Amino acid sequence: MTKIMASPYTEIVANSDNCTLSQFAMRCARDFIPLLDIPLDAPIPERISPNEHYREEYEAAKEAYDAFIASPPTEEELSRSYDAYVASEKERHANVIVSKRLMRRRYNRMLSKVLGLRRG
C-alpha cells in the first residue's frame, strides 16, 4: 500500500484509522501556542509560560509608540519617509522581476530537456 504524503499535522489522520478528533485538534492547536521545541506527539503542558522575546518586543514597540505620540513627525518628514519607501519598493520590485525572469528561463530550459526526453 502506498503511504500518503501528509503534513506533520495531518499525518496522524493519513496513517491511522483510529485517530480521534481530539487528537487531531490538539495537534493542530500547537500552531497557536509556543511549543516549537516539543515534538508533535508529546502531551501539551498544563501551563505555558510567555516567551521573553515577545515581552521585549512589546516593550520596544510601546517605547516607539510613546515616542511617536510625544513627538509626531512633521508633514515634511512624512513626505520624505514616503518618498524613500516608494523608491525602495520600486527597486525591490525591479529586482523581483529580474529574479523571476531568470527563474522562468531556468524552468523553461528544464522543461525543454524533459520534453526532449519524452519524445526521444
Side-chain angles (χ1 to χ4, degrees), residues 8-95:
Y9 295 100
T10 59
E11 72 180 349
I12 192 171
V13 175
N15 299 320
S16 172
D17 288 329
N18 301 320
C19 177
T20 67
L21 173 61
S22 177
Q23 289 171 319
F24 176 66
M26 291 305 286
R27 185 169 271 229
C28 293
R30 291 173 171 278
D31 254 358
F32 299 100
I33 52 178
L35 299 174
L36 299 177
D37 298 333
I38 299 174
L40 283 174
D41 55 356
I44 294 178
E46 289 294 320
R47 178 154 167 66
I48 299 169
S49 300
N51 187 316
E52 185 65 19
H53 167 77
Y54 296 112
R55 188 191 64 73
E56 291 169 2
E57 288 290 315
Y58 168 78
E59 292 298 331
K62 187 173 181 332
E63 284 179 29
Y65 172 79
D66 290 342
F68 178 85
I69 294 300
S71 178
T74 65
E75 288 291 324
E76 183 180 315
E77 290 169 330
L78 287 172
S79 181
R80 277 197 312 266
S81 177
Y82 174 78
D83 290 343
Y85 173 77
V86 169
S88 167
E89 284 299 296
K90 284 182 178 180
E91 182 179 346
R92 185 187 66 77
H93 184 68
N95 290 335

